[in-house]
Amino acid sequence: MSRQVKPGSKPYRAQLRDRLAALGFPEAAMPARVAENLIVECRIPPRTAWRLASELSLDVAAHHYNAVTGDPRAGMRGTRIWEYEQWPERGVRPTVAALRVLAQVYGTGWKSLLGLRDLEQLPAKDLAEYHAEPEQAAAPVLATPEPPSRPARTSPRDEGRPDADIGAGALDDAILLTKTNVDDVQLDDLWSDLDFLGGAYTRTAPESILGQLAVIEERSSSLLKGRQRPKQTQDLLLVGAKCSAMMAWIAGDLGRYWLSRELNSAAWLYTQYADDFLARRWVRTSQARVAFWSGNGVESAKLAADGLNYHVGGRLTDAPLILAEARGWSSVQAEPQVLDAIARWTSIEDPELGAGGEDRFFNITKDRRHYMAGTSLLSVGQASAALREFSTAREAYEKLSLESRWEAMDPMIRIDTGRAHLRLDDLDGAAAQVEPLLATDVAKQPEMVRAMLKVLAGELAGPRWREAATARNLAEALLDAQSSARR
């Protein structure tokens, strides 16, 4: 190459094409020659090499894939092509049918999209099909000579230096700053996937969402290792922050608190480099939630209070953080702090506020807001006030469309409504709330549901209800449900 550029980068490929053109190669032969060079000289895996040689982004390649199949809505996405390119080290193994379509997109044969490590991991049936297919005539691989060494720069104070050499290469060096391994389509795709998964969480198995978020995190961190413009770098950092915070939240729902704390630490590090207040709110919201459910209420309250220091003008409302602060203090029965936080929340609560938009994952719905208020009040002895909040939470939950409901809210509201009835000496009211849970599959619920079942069972087995057969039977049934879910 005439100048030192990153192997495999767009400037590298452009210079390689210029050299091939100078040698008389026609334009139609360029992609194959470029792909071979990227594979041999740059050690880029075949599927990635052919896409880059075709000068296609992941999303444009997916668009062409759908066009080749004859159905623009076929569903291929840039993220799936990226997963194909990561295999076999990670990612997803492409089927032979998918390889054939990709080969048409790139203008090659499907066998050229497989390297030695791919072949070693292919199922026997696919390997047999590989060997049964006739070999295509291969173009000879071009070896790239070592780039000529650049002349050593002399001191700018060298009086004998010609004026023509002063600043030589400065423009080329500056232009390198405009080169990027990211385009707006890729960034839009990352944000779109995050927004989709944030909305799908209420109706999809947590394990599935966690796995899909992990793919987004891998993509964004991989892109960050390349060169971007400053704004693109910040966008990738924000994607990393939000994705890691969402993963931490979900890992906590699954009871994996060690993983949650590690993910939240990664998310906070992303925010420090992005220097973005909204991102800091995302992470503090997730950290406060994980701290509370892992048993550190005071830390949860302090994290939530710190999150309120980052003012972002309505995109992520104060309500989730204020209620997290109240809930954190409630764990140590700090009644003045709880009541103060509940009063602050009441003064800003908007009954019509939904949880739509790009931050809906963290902007919790009305049913969850009133539930959090109720649990905080219940923990400091305000059972009647808590019961009113749970009643409002129940009404709000039932008004939500089925796809907007978080299914864990129904058992959580029932459990804590039952606890409020117990505090008011209403055992029958508590039983009426809790008995429907015994007919459900508790194993499918998040960890906090099972934790609260154990708390309720303990309260039913306490001195106040020890002589009541209804309480004893209900406590035993709840413990059985809770313990069987752990098996």
Side-chain angles (χ1 to χ4, degrees):
M1 298 292 134
S2 59
R3 291 186 56 79
Q4 290 283 4
V5 294
K6 180 181 178 182
S9 66
K10 194 165 186 177
Y12 179 97
R13 301 194 303 273
Q15 291 181 15
L16 179 58
R17 288 174 185 277
D18 289 342
R19 293 176 62 205
L20 290 168
L23 291 171
F25 286 96
E27 185 64 30
M30 295 286 189
R33 297 292 183 172
V34 172
E36 288 165 357
N37 181 279
L38 296 178
I39 294 168
V40 174
E41 300 296 332
C42 304
R43 299 185 180 277
I44 294 176
R47 290 179 292 286
T48 305
W50 272 97
R51 177 175 60 78
L52 293 176
S54 303
E55 299 301 329
L56 298 176
S57 71
L58 289 165
D59 297 290
V60 173
H63 174 77
H64 289 331
Y65 183 105
N66 292 331
V68 167
T69 63
D71 182 3
R73 299 169 298 174
M76 179 57 68
R77 295 174 64 87
T79 51
R80 178 46 60 96
I81 290 179
W82 182 85
E83 290 172 336
Y84 287 164
E85 292 180 2
Q86 304 310 301
W87 190 80
E89 279 71 21
R90 56 183 186 276
V92 175
R93 177 177 60 83
T95 63
V96 171
L99 289 170
R100 291 185 185 279
V101 178
L102 284 174
Q104 291 185 62
V105 171
Y106 303 149
T108 185
W110 71 276
K111 296 173 66 173
S112 67
L113 301 182
L114 295 168
L116 179 60
R117 283 180 296 186
D118 300 319
L119 295 175
E120 289 173 338
Q121 299 298 323
L122 278 184
K125 177 178 177 296
D126 291 353
L127 187 60
E129 187 171 350
Y130 177 93
H131 288 302
E133 188 116 346
E135 291 288 344
Q136 289 185 322
V141 177
L142 290 179
T144 303
E146 289 296 317
S149 59
R150 298 176 64 180
R153 294 189 176 182
T154 58
S155 167
R157 296 180 181 178
D158 184 355
E159 295 181 0
R161 183 175 182 178
D163 288 346
D165 289 346
I166 297 174
L171 180 58
D172 288 343
D173 290 340
I175 288 175
L176 276 179
L177 297 175
T178 70
K179 305 302 182 182
T180 174
N181 65 331
V182 185
D183 57 37
D184 290 341
V185 174
Q186 286 175 289
L187 289 170
D188 288 346
D189 191 42
L190 288 170
W191 284 118
S192 176
D193 286 348
L194 275 183
D195 184 45
F196 171 78
L197 292 174
Y201 182 53
T202 58
R203 58 184 185 275
T204 309
E207 287 279 11
S208 173
I209 299 294
L210 190 60
Q212 293 178 74
L213 286 171
V215 172
I216 296 176
E217 193 280 329
E218 282 189 16
R219 285 184 62 197
S220 61
S221 62
S222 177
L223 289 170
L224 276 168
K225 295 173 184 175
R227 180 193 292 276
Q228 307 91 36
R229 302 184 188 98
K231 178 61 171 66
Q232 293 172 328
T233 299
Q234 187 187 42
D235 274 346
L236 288 173
L237 290 170
L238 293 175
V239 168
K242 189 169 189 176
C243 185
S244 296
M246 291 170 67
M247 291 171 69
W249 181 300
I250 296 169
D253 285 354
L254 295 169
R256 303 172 190 172
Y257 297 119
W258 182 87
L259 175 60
S260 291
R261 286 189 287 270
E262 186 173 84
L263 287 165
N264 271 328
S265 294
W268 187 253
L269 189 59
Y270 277 122
T271 69
Q272 295 294 78
Y273 282 99
D275 193 22
D276 184 89
F277 276 17
L278 179 60
R280 289 190 172 108
R281 280 211 165 197
W282 295 332
V283 182
R284 286 301 192 227
T285 303
S286 178
Q287 288 175 324
R289 189 171 195 269
V290 170
F292 176 80
W293 287 111
S294 61
N296 198 333
V298 174
E299 180 189 6
S300 174
K302 291 180 177 178
L303 287 166
D306 182 67
L308 291 166
N309 292 324
Y310 304 107
H311 304 288
V312 294
R315 288 182 62 189
L316 184 58
T317 68
D318 287 350
L321 286 166
I322 294 175
L323 289 168
E325 185 183 354
R327 183 173 61 181
W329 287 122
S330 74
S331 67
V332 291
Q333 288 79 50
E335 185 172 5
Q337 290 92 328
V338 170
L339 296 181
D340 173 72
I342 294 296
R344 282 186 281 130
W345 165 68
T346 302
S347 69
I348 66 166
E349 171 62 12
D350 179 0
E352 304 304 318
L353 178 66
E358 59 188 1
D359 290 318
R360 57 183 159 176
F361 186 88
F362 300 102
N363 269 329
I364 55 178
T365 48
K366 179 180 178 180
D367 57 322
R368 294 165 72 178
R369 296 196 299 271
H370 284 272
Y371 168 76
M372 287 180 70
T375 58
S376 300
L377 291 167
L378 183 62
S379 294
V380 294
Q382 303 283 332
S384 295
L387 205 53
R388 290 192 294 271
E389 296 296 342
F390 294 142
S391 177
T392 302
R394 167 63 61 189
E395 292 173 4
Y397 176 81
E398 292 177 350
K399 288 179 181 178
L400 288 171
S401 60
L402 291 177
E403 63 270 18
S404 298
R405 294 178 180 178
W406 185 41
E407 66 172 9
M409 278 316 302
D410 178 64
M412 294 292 280
I413 293 172
R414 286 188 175 280
I415 291 168
D416 283 303
T417 301
R419 294 178 63 220
H421 278 291
L422 289 180
R423 300 287 178 87
L424 296 171
D425 291 331
D426 182 7
L427 178 58
D428 290 339
Q433 287 292 324
V434 178
E435 283 173 348
L437 295 179
L438 301 177
T440 63
D441 186 358
V442 178
K444 293 182 178 180
Q445 297 296 338
E447 173 67 19
M448 68 271 298
V449 173
R450 298 192 288 273
M452 292 310 298
L453 282 174
K454 187 175 181 180
V455 169
L456 176 58
E459 293 179 357
L460 285 165
R464 171 67 181 83
W465 305 106
R466 189 168 295 160
E467 303 303 320
T470 299
R472 288 198 305 274
N473 294 337
L474 192 55
E476 289 175 4
L478 291 173
L479 285 175
D480 286 343
Q482 190 265 344
S483 59
S484 63
R486 290 185 173 275
R487 296 193 191 114

